Amino acid sequence: MKRKCPVCGKSTDSATDADFPFCGERCRTLDLGNWASEKYVISSPAFDESMFEELERDLEKHDSGEKE
Ligand SMILES: [Zn+2]
């Protein structure tokens, strides 16, 4: 089966390319990296904001409750 590498467009063959449909390990890694960074961008803002709010509330509790 012949295809084109989705990263660089070079023609690849499932019979000869171990990293099919990518032309090589470099392009396969690049494509995985794109996926990972997209996921990271989507999930990180909401996650970070709620984490900060919880942390701030915790800090306030400690400030008022644990004075000597
Ligand atoms: Zn490629």
Side-chain angles (χ1 to χ4, degrees):
M1 183 163 49
K2 285 195 175 181
R3 274 209 175 176
K4 280 186 176 176
C5 172
V7 177
C8 70
K10 198 177 149 186
S11 59
T12 57
D13 196 323
S14 61
T16 55
D17 285 304
D19 294 301
F20 185 84
F22 304 100
C23 66
E25 200 185 344
R26 199 181 68 99
C27 281
R28 197 183 46 166
T29 309
L30 269 173
D31 194 64
L32 281 174
N34 287 343
W35 264 93
S37 57
E38 267 174 46
K39 268 188 193 171
Y40 181 75
V41 168
I42 289 166
S43 63
S44 66
F47 179 73
D48 276 352
E49 266 174 47
S50 61
M51 280 283 286
F52 267 116
E53 271 173 40
E54 255 175 65
L55 266 174
E56 265 172 47
R57 251 177 258 149
D58 267 6
L59 282 173
E60 275 172 38
K61 252 188 252 167
H62 279 288
D63 265 0
S64 54
E66 288 182 29
K67 271 180 187 169
E68 291 179 355

Coordinates of all heavy atoms in Angstrom, one line a residue:
M1 N 0.9 -1.2 0.0 CA 0.0 0.0 0.0 C 0.9 1.3 0.0 O 1.8 1.4 0.8 CB -0.9 0.0 1.2 CG -1.8 1.2 1.2 SD -3.3 1.1 2.3 CE -2.7 0.6 3.9
K2 N 0.6 2.1 -0.9 CA 1.4 3.4 -1.0 C 0.6 4.6 -0.5 O -0.6 4.7 -0.7 CB 1.9 3.6 -2.4 CG 3.0 2.7 -2.8 CD 3.7 3.1 -4.0 CE 4.9 2.2 -4.3 NZ 5.7 2.6 -5.5
R3 N 1.3 5.4 0.2 CA 0.6 6.6 0.8 C 1.6 7.8 0.7 O 2.8 7.6 0.4 CB 0.1 6.4 2.2 CG -1.2 5.7 2.3 CD -1.9 6.2 3.5 NE -3.2 5.7 3.6 CZ -4.0 5.8 4.7 NH1 -3.5 6.5 5.8 NH2 -5.2 5.4 4.7
K4 N 1.1 8.9 1.2 CA 2.0 10.0 1.4 C 2.2 10.3 2.9 O 1.2 10.3 3.6 CB 1.5 11.3 0.6 CG 1.8 11.2 -0.9 CD 1.4 12.5 -1.6 CE 1.8 12.4 -3.0 NZ 1.4 13.6 -3.8
C5 N 3.4 10.6 3.3 CA 3.7 11.0 4.7 C 2.8 12.2 5.0 O 2.9 13.2 4.4 CB 5.2 11.3 4.8 SG 5.6 12.0 6.4
P6 N 2.0 12.1 6.1 CA 1.1 13.2 6.5 C 1.8 14.4 7.0 O 1.3 15.5 7.1 CB 0.2 12.6 7.6 CG 0.9 11.4 8.1 CD 1.8 10.9 6.9
V7 N 3.1 14.2 7.3 CA 3.9 15.3 7.9 C 4.6 16.1 6.8 O 4.5 17.3 6.7 CB 4.9 14.9 9.0 CG1 5.7 16.0 9.5 CG2 4.1 14.2 10.1
C8 N 5.4 15.4 5.9 CA 6.2 16.1 4.9 C 5.7 15.8 3.5 O 6.2 16.5 2.6 CB 7.7 15.7 5.1 SG 8.0 14.0 4.6
G9 N 4.8 14.9 3.3 CA 4.3 14.7 1.9 C 5.1 13.7 1.1 O 4.7 13.5 -0.1
K10 N 6.1 13.2 1.6 CA 7.0 12.2 0.8 C 6.2 10.9 0.7 O 5.5 10.5 1.6 CB 8.2 12.0 1.6 CG 9.4 11.4 0.8 CD 10.6 11.2 1.7 CE 11.4 10.0 1.3 NZ 12.5 9.8 2.3
S11 N 6.3 10.3 -0.5 CA 5.6 9.0 -0.7 C 6.2 7.9 0.1 O 7.4 7.7 0.2 CB 5.6 8.7 -2.2 OG 6.9 8.5 -2.7
T12 N 5.3 7.1 0.7 CA 5.8 6.0 1.6 C 5.1 4.7 1.1 O 4.0 4.7 0.5 CB 5.4 6.3 3.0 OG1 4.0 6.5 3.2 CG2 6.2 7.5 3.6
D13 N 5.7 3.6 1.5 CA 5.1 2.3 1.1 C 5.1 1.4 2.3 O 6.0 1.2 3.1 CB 6.1 1.7 0.1 CG 5.4 0.5 -0.7 OD1 4.6 -0.3 0.0 OD2 5.6 0.4 -1.9
S14 N 3.9 0.8 2.6 CA 3.7 0.0 3.8 C 4.6 -1.2 3.8 O 4.9 -1.8 4.8 CB 2.2 -0.5 3.9 OG 1.9 -1.2 2.8
A15 N 5.1 -1.7 2.6 CA 5.9 -2.9 2.5 C 7.3 -2.6 2.9 O 8.1 -3.4 3.4 CB 5.9 -3.4 1.1
T16 N 7.8 -1.3 2.7 CA 9.2 -1.0 3.0 C 9.4 -0.1 4.1 O 10.5 0.0 4.7 CB 9.8 -0.4 1.7 OG1 9.1 0.7 1.3 CG2 9.9 -1.4 0.6
D17 N 8.4 0.7 4.5 CA 8.6 1.7 5.6 C 8.1 1.2 6.9 O 6.9 1.0 7.1 CB 7.9 3.1 5.2 CG 8.7 3.8 4.1 OD1 9.9 4.1 4.3 OD2 8.1 4.1 3.1
A18 N 9.0 1.1 7.9 CA 8.6 0.6 9.2 C 7.7 1.6 9.9 O 6.9 1.2 10.7 CB 9.9 0.3 10.0
D19 N 7.9 2.9 9.6 CA 7.1 3.9 10.3 C 5.9 4.3 9.4 O 5.3 5.4 9.7 CB 8.0 5.1 10.5 CG 9.1 4.8 11.5 OD1 8.7 4.3 12.7 OD2 10.2 4.9 11.2
F20 N 5.5 3.5 8.4 CA 4.3 3.8 7.6 C 3.1 4.2 8.5 O 2.9 3.6 9.5 CB 4.0 2.5 6.8 CG 2.9 2.7 5.8 CD1 3.1 3.3 4.6 CD2 1.6 2.3 6.2 CE1 2.0 3.4 3.7 CE2 0.5 2.5 5.3 CZ 0.8 3.1 4.0
P21 N 2.3 5.2 8.1 CA 2.3 5.9 6.9 C 3.3 7.1 6.9 O 3.3 7.9 6.0 CB 0.9 6.5 6.8 CG 0.5 6.7 8.2 CD 1.1 5.6 9.0
F22 N 4.1 7.2 7.9 CA 5.1 8.2 8.0 C 6.4 7.7 7.2 O 6.6 6.5 7.2 CB 5.5 8.6 9.4 CG 4.3 9.0 10.2 CD1 3.7 8.2 11.1 CD2 3.8 10.3 10.0 CE1 2.6 8.5 11.8 CE2 2.6 10.7 10.7 CZ 2.0 9.8 11.6
C23 N 7.2 8.7 6.7 CA 8.4 8.3 6.0 C 9.5 7.8 6.9 O 10.4 7.2 6.4 CB 8.8 9.5 5.1 SG 9.4 10.9 6.0
G24 N 9.4 8.2 8.1 CA 10.5 7.8 9.1 C 10.1 8.2 10.5 O 9.1 8.7 10.8
E25 N 11.0 7.8 11.4 CA 10.8 8.0 12.8 C 10.6 9.5 13.1 O 9.8 9.9 14.0 CB 11.9 7.4 13.6 CG 11.6 7.2 15.1 CD 12.7 6.7 15.9 OE1 13.8 6.3 15.3 OE2 12.7 6.8 17.1
R26 N 11.4 10.3 12.4 CA 11.4 11.8 12.7 C 9.9 12.3 12.5 O 9.4 13.1 13.3 CB 12.4 12.5 11.8 CG 12.7 13.9 12.3 CD 13.7 14.5 11.4 NE 13.1 14.8 10.1 CZ 12.6 16.0 9.8 NH1 12.8 17.0 10.6 NH2 12.1 16.3 8.6
C27 N 9.3 12.0 11.3 CA 8.0 12.5 11.0 C 7.0 11.9 12.0 O 6.0 12.6 12.3 CB 7.7 12.2 9.6 SG 8.4 13.4 8.4
R28 N 7.1 10.6 12.3 CA 6.2 10.0 13.2 C 6.2 10.7 14.6 O 5.2 11.0 15.2 CB 6.5 8.6 13.4 CG 5.4 7.8 14.0 CD 5.8 6.4 14.3 NE 7.1 6.3 14.9 CZ 7.6 5.2 15.5 NH1 6.9 4.1 15.4 NH2 8.8 5.2 16.0
T29 N 7.4 11.0 15.1 CA 7.5 11.7 16.3 C 7.0 13.2 16.3 O 6.3 13.6 17.2 CB 9.0 11.8 16.7 OG1 9.6 10.5 16.6 CG2 9.2 12.3 18.1
L30 N 7.2 13.8 15.1 CA 6.7 15.2 14.9 C 5.2 15.2 15.0 O 4.6 16.0 15.7 CB 7.1 15.7 13.6 CG 8.4 16.5 13.5 CD1 8.8 16.8 12.1 CD2 8.3 17.8 14.3
D31 N 4.5 14.2 14.4 CA 3.1 14.1 14.4 C 2.5 13.9 15.8 O 1.6 14.5 16.2 CB 2.6 13.0 13.4 CG 1.1 13.2 13.1 OD1 0.7 14.2 12.5 OD2 0.4 12.3 13.5
L32 N 3.2 13.0 16.5 CA 2.8 12.7 17.9 C 2.9 13.9 18.7 O 2.1 14.2 19.6 CB 3.6 11.6 18.5 CG 3.2 10.1 18.0 CD1 4.2 9.1 18.6 CD2 1.8 9.8 18.6
G33 N 4.0 14.7 18.5 CA 4.3 15.9 19.2 C 3.2 16.9 19.0 O 2.7 17.6 19.9
N34 N 2.7 17.0 17.7 CA 1.6 17.9 17.4 C 0.4 17.6 18.2 O -0.3 18.4 18.8 CB 1.3 17.9 15.9 CG 2.3 18.6 15.1 OD1 3.2 19.3 15.6 ND2 2.4 18.3 13.8
W35 N 0.0 16.3 18.3 CA -1.1 15.9 19.0 C -1.0 16.2 20.5 O -1.9 16.7 21.1 CB -1.3 14.3 18.9 CG -2.2 13.9 17.8 CD1 -1.9 13.7 16.5 CD2 -3.6 13.8 17.9 NE1 -3.0 13.4 15.8 CE2 -4.1 13.4 16.6 CE3 -4.5 14.0 19.0 CZ2 -5.4 13.2 16.4 CZ3 -5.9 13.8 18.7 CH2 -6.3 13.4 17.5
A36 N 0.1 15.9 21.0 CA 0.4 16.1 22.5 C 0.2 17.6 22.8 O -0.4 18.0 23.8 CB 1.7 15.6 22.9
S37 N 0.8 18.5 22.0 CA 0.8 19.9 22.3 C -0.6 20.4 22.2 O -1.0 21.3 22.9 CB 1.8 20.7 21.5 OG 1.5 20.5 20.1
E38 N -1.4 19.9 21.2 CA -2.8 20.4 21.0 C -3.6 20.0 22.3 O -4.4 20.8 22.8 CB -3.4 19.8 19.8 CG -3.3 20.6 18.6 CD -3.7 19.9 17.3 OE1 -4.8 19.3 17.4 OE2 -3.0 20.0 16.3
K39 N -3.5 18.8 22.7 CA -4.2 18.4 23.9 C -3.8 19.2 25.1 O -4.7 19.6 25.9 CB -3.8 16.9 24.2 CG -4.7 15.9 23.6 CD -4.4 14.5 24.1 CE -5.1 13.5 23.3 NZ -4.6 12.1 23.7
Y40 N -2.5 19.5 25.2 CA -2.0 20.3 26.3 C -2.7 21.7 26.3 O -3.1 22.2 27.4 CB -0.5 20.4 26.3 CG 0.1 21.2 27.4 CD1 0.2 20.6 28.7 CD2 0.5 22.5 27.2 CE1 0.7 21.3 29.7 CE2 1.1 23.1 28.3 CZ 1.2 22.6 29.5 OH 1.7 23.3 30.6
V41 N -2.7 22.3 25.2 CA -3.3 23.7 25.0 C -4.7 23.7 25.4 O -5.2 24.6 26.1 CB -3.1 24.2 23.6 CG1 -3.9 25.5 23.4 CG2 -1.6 24.5 23.4
I42 N -5.5 22.6 25.0 CA -6.9 22.6 25.3 C -7.2 22.4 26.8 O -8.1 23.1 27.3 CB -7.6 21.5 24.5 CG1 -7.6 21.9 23.0 CG2 -9.0 21.3 24.9 CD1 -7.9 20.7 22.1
S43 N -6.5 21.5 27.4 CA -6.8 21.2 28.8 C -6.2 22.0 29.9 O -6.7 22.1 31.0 CB -6.4 19.7 29.0 OG -5.0 19.5 28.9
S44 N -5.1 22.7 29.5 CA -4.4 23.4 30.6 C -5.0 24.7 31.2 O -5.0 24.9 32.4 CB -2.9 23.7 30.2 OG -2.9 24.7 29.1
P45 N -5.7 25.6 30.4 CA -6.2 26.8 31.0 C -7.2 26.6 32.1 O -7.1 27.1 33.2 CB -6.8 27.6 29.8 CG -6.2 27.0 28.6 CD -5.9 25.5 29.0
A46 N -8.3 25.8 31.8 CA -9.3 25.6 32.8 C -8.7 24.9 34.1 O -9.1 25.3 35.2 CB -10.4 24.7 32.2
F47 N -7.9 23.9 33.8 CA -7.3 23.2 34.9 C -6.4 24.2 35.8 O -6.6 24.2 37.0 CB -6.3 22.2 34.3 CG -5.6 21.3 35.4 CD1 -6.3 20.4 36.1 CD2 -4.2 21.5 35.6 CE1 -5.6 19.6 37.1 CE2 -3.6 20.8 36.5 CZ -4.2 19.8 37.2
D48 N -5.6 25.0 35.2 CA -4.8 25.9 36.0 C -5.6 26.9 36.8 O -5.3 27.2 38.0 CB -3.8 26.7 35.0 CG -2.6 25.8 34.7 OD1 -2.4 24.8 35.3 OD2 -1.8 26.3 33.9
E49 N -6.6 27.5 36.2 CA -7.4 28.5 36.9 C -8.1 27.9 38.2 O -8.0 28.5 39.2 CB -8.5 29.1 36.0 CG -8.0 30.3 35.3 CD -9.0 30.8 34.3 OE1 -10.2 30.9 34.6 OE2 -8.6 31.1 33.1
S50 N -8.7 26.8 38.1 CA -9.4 26.2 39.2 C -8.4 25.8 40.3 O -8.6 25.9 41.5 CB -10.2 25.0 38.8 OG -9.4 24.0 38.3
M51 N -7.2 25.3 39.9 CA -6.1 25.0 40.8 C -5.7 26.2 41.6 O -5.6 26.2 42.8 CB -4.9 24.5 40.1 CG -5.0 23.0 39.7 SD -4.8 21.9 41.0 CE -3.0 22.0 41.2
F52 N -5.6 27.3 40.9 CA -5.2 28.6 41.6 C -6.2 29.0 42.6 O -5.9 29.5 43.7 CB -4.9 29.7 40.6 CG -3.4 29.7 40.2 CD1 -3.1 29.5 38.9 CD2 -2.5 30.0 41.1 CE1 -1.8 29.5 38.5 CE2 -1.1 30.1 40.7 CZ -0.8 29.8 39.4
E53 N -7.5 29.0 42.2 CA -8.5 29.4 43.1 C -8.6 28.6 44.4 O -8.7 29.1 45.5 CB -9.9 29.3 42.4 CG -10.2 30.6 41.6 CD -11.5 30.5 40.8 OE1 -12.4 29.9 41.3 OE2 -11.5 31.0 39.7
E54 N -8.4 27.3 44.2 CA -8.4 26.4 45.4 C -7.2 26.7 46.3 O -7.4 26.8 47.5 CB -8.4 25.0 45.0 CG -9.7 24.3 45.1 CD -9.7 22.9 44.6 OE1 -9.0 22.0 45.1 OE2 -10.4 22.6 43.6
L55 N -6.1 26.9 45.7 CA -4.9 27.2 46.5 C -5.1 28.5 47.2 O -4.7 28.6 48.4 CB -3.7 27.4 45.5 CG -2.9 26.1 45.3 CD1 -1.8 26.3 44.2 CD2 -2.2 25.7 46.6
E56 N -5.7 29.5 46.6 CA -5.8 30.8 47.3 C -6.8 30.7 48.5 O -6.5 31.2 49.5 CB -6.4 31.8 46.3 CG -5.3 32.7 45.6 CD -5.9 33.6 44.5 OE1 -6.9 34.2 44.7 OE2 -5.3 33.6 43.5
R57 N -7.9 29.9 48.3 CA -8.8 29.7 49.4 C -8.1 29.0 50.5 O -8.3 29.3 51.7 CB -10.0 28.9 48.9 CG -11.3 29.8 48.8 CD -12.4 29.0 48.2 NE -12.6 29.3 46.8 CZ -13.1 28.4 45.9 NH1 -13.3 27.2 46.3 NH2 -13.3 28.7 44.7
D58 N -7.3 28.0 50.2 CA -6.6 27.3 51.2 C -5.6 28.2 52.0 O -5.6 28.2 53.2 CB -5.8 26.1 50.6 CG -6.5 24.8 50.6 OD1 -7.7 24.8 51.0 OD2 -5.9 23.8 50.2
L59 N -5.0 29.0 51.3 CA -4.0 30.0 51.9 C -4.7 30.9 52.8 O -4.3 31.2 53.9 CB -3.3 30.8 50.8 CG -2.1 30.0 50.1 CD1 -1.5 30.8 49.0 CD2 -1.0 29.6 51.1
E60 N -5.9 31.4 52.4 CA -6.7 32.3 53.3 C -7.1 31.6 54.6 O -7.0 32.2 55.6 CB -7.9 32.8 52.5 CG -7.6 34.0 51.6 CD -8.8 34.4 50.7 OE1 -10.0 34.3 51.2 OE2 -8.6 34.7 49.6
K61 N -7.6 30.4 54.4 CA -8.0 29.6 55.6 C -6.8 29.5 56.6 O -7.0 29.8 57.8 CB -8.4 28.2 55.2 CG -9.9 28.0 55.3 CD -10.2 26.5 55.0 CE -10.8 26.3 53.7 NZ -10.8 24.9 53.3
H62 N -5.7 29.2 56.1 CA -4.5 29.0 57.0 C -4.1 30.3 57.6 O -3.8 30.4 58.8 CB -3.3 28.5 56.1 CG -3.4 27.0 55.9 ND1 -3.2 26.1 56.9 CD2 -3.7 26.3 54.8 CE1 -3.4 24.9 56.4 NE2 -3.7 25.0 55.1
D63 N -4.3 31.4 56.9 CA -3.9 32.7 57.4 C -4.7 33.1 58.6 O -4.2 33.6 59.6 CB -4.0 33.8 56.3 CG -2.7 34.0 55.6 OD1 -1.7 33.4 56.0 OD2 -2.6 34.9 54.7
S64 N -6.1 32.9 58.5 CA -7.0 33.4 59.6 C -7.1 32.4 60.7 O -7.3 32.7 61.8 CB -8.4 33.7 59.0 OG -8.8 32.6 58.3
G65 N -6.9 31.1 60.4 CA -7.2 30.1 61.4 C -6.0 29.7 62.2 O -6.1 29.1 63.3
E66 N -4.8 29.9 61.7 CA -3.6 29.4 62.5 C -2.7 30.5 63.0 O -1.5 30.4 62.9 CB -2.8 28.4 61.5 CG -3.6 27.1 61.3 CD -2.8 26.2 60.4 OE1 -1.6 26.2 60.5 OE2 -3.4 25.4 59.7
K67 N -3.3 31.5 63.5 CA -2.5 32.6 64.1 C -2.2 32.3 65.6 O -3.1 31.8 66.3 CB -3.2 33.9 64.0 CG -2.8 34.6 62.6 CD -3.5 35.9 62.5 CE -3.2 36.5 61.1 NZ -4.1 37.6 60.8
E68 N -1.0 32.6 66.0 CA -0.7 32.3 67.5 C -0.9 33.6 68.3 O -0.6 34.7 67.8 CB 0.7 31.8 67.6 CG 0.8 30.4 66.9 CD 2.3 29.9 67.0 OE1 3.2 30.6 67.4 OE2 2.4 28.8 66.6
Ligands
ZN1 ZN 7.9 12.6 6.4

